[in-house]
Amino acid sequence: MKKIFLVCVALFALSVSAQVRVLAPGQQPDTNSLQLSIMFNYNESPSRLLIESANYRRLALNTTIIGGAASGLLFCLGGKQAQQTVSGDSPLPTLGAITAIATGITALILEYISISKERQAGEQLKRITISAGGVSYHF
């Protein structure tokens, strides 16, 4: 019984080692062997689209923060300037409102671009199915 068990273990180890190829440093793999190669018909890869989406979203957030700070500063300076003048008028609050509106619209446009890039990546990724049986691509 022990001999049969040892022979089975040896045959199992031999069959596993026969399936693993170890390449020496600098050695190229055999081009005649069958390999799984999946080519997707994308203009831009989904990962690239997701990276661009994140960049646009970060830019929208930075625009909102900087524009909000600049318009708030203009409002505060305009209020102080209006108190110091005799007429009580200052163009700075109007400029602050224009800055707030412009940066808000810019941030919304950048967020919309980010959402559209993310949607494109999602549409491309939903065509790929990965399961225990392998990888499939639905056209």
Side-chain angles (χ1 to χ4, degrees), residues 19 35 40 51 66 72 89 112 114 123 133 139:
Q19 295 176 7
Q35 295 179 355
F40 299 110
I51 290 170
I66 292 170
D89 290 335
Y112 178 77
S114 170
E123 287 173 357
F139 292 96

Side-chain angles (χ1 to χ4, degrees), residues 4 6 19 21 43 53 65 84-85 95 129:
I4 294 173
L6 289 175
Q19 295 176 7
R21 290 186 302 150
N43 293 334
S53 172
I65 292 170
Q84 293 173 355
T85 60
L95 187 60
T129 305

Side-chain angles (χ1 to χ4, degrees), residues 21-122:
R21 290 186 302 150
V22 178
L23 298 176
Q27 182 183 4
Q28 296 294 324
D30 185 19
T31 57
N32 295 331
S33 64
L34 296 176
Q35 295 179 355
L36 175 64
S37 178
I38 302 171
M39 299 297 292
F40 299 110
N41 195 13
Y42 297 144
N43 293 334
E44 284 187 276
S45 67
S47 61
R48 185 71 204 147
L49 287 171
L50 289 173
I51 290 170
E52 287 179 11
S53 172
N55 289 339
Y56 278 113
R57 188 159 288 161
R58 182 180 299 128
L59 190 59
L61 181 64
N62 290 342
T63 302
T64 304
I65 292 170
I66 292 170
S71 63
L73 182 65
L74 287 171
F75 277 122
C76 288
L77 291 177
K80 288 182 181 180
Q81 188 181 27
Q83 290 175 354
Q84 293 173 355
T85 60
V86 176
S87 63
D89 290 335
S90 175
L92 291 179
T94 305
L95 187 60
I98 292 171
T99 304
I101 291 169
T103 56
I105 290 172
T106 304
L108 287 174
I109 290 171
L110 291 171
E111 189 67 28
Y112 178 77
I113 293 171
S114 170
I115 290 169
S116 68
K117 296 275 186 187
E118 195 171 344
R119 178 176 292 199
Q120 287 175 352

Side-chain angles (χ1 to χ4, degrees), residues 1-15:
M1 186 66 170
K2 289 181 183 180
K3 291 180 182 179
I4 294 173
F5 179 73
L6 289 175
V7 169
C8 289
V9 169
L11 288 176
F12 177 73
L14 184 63
S15 67

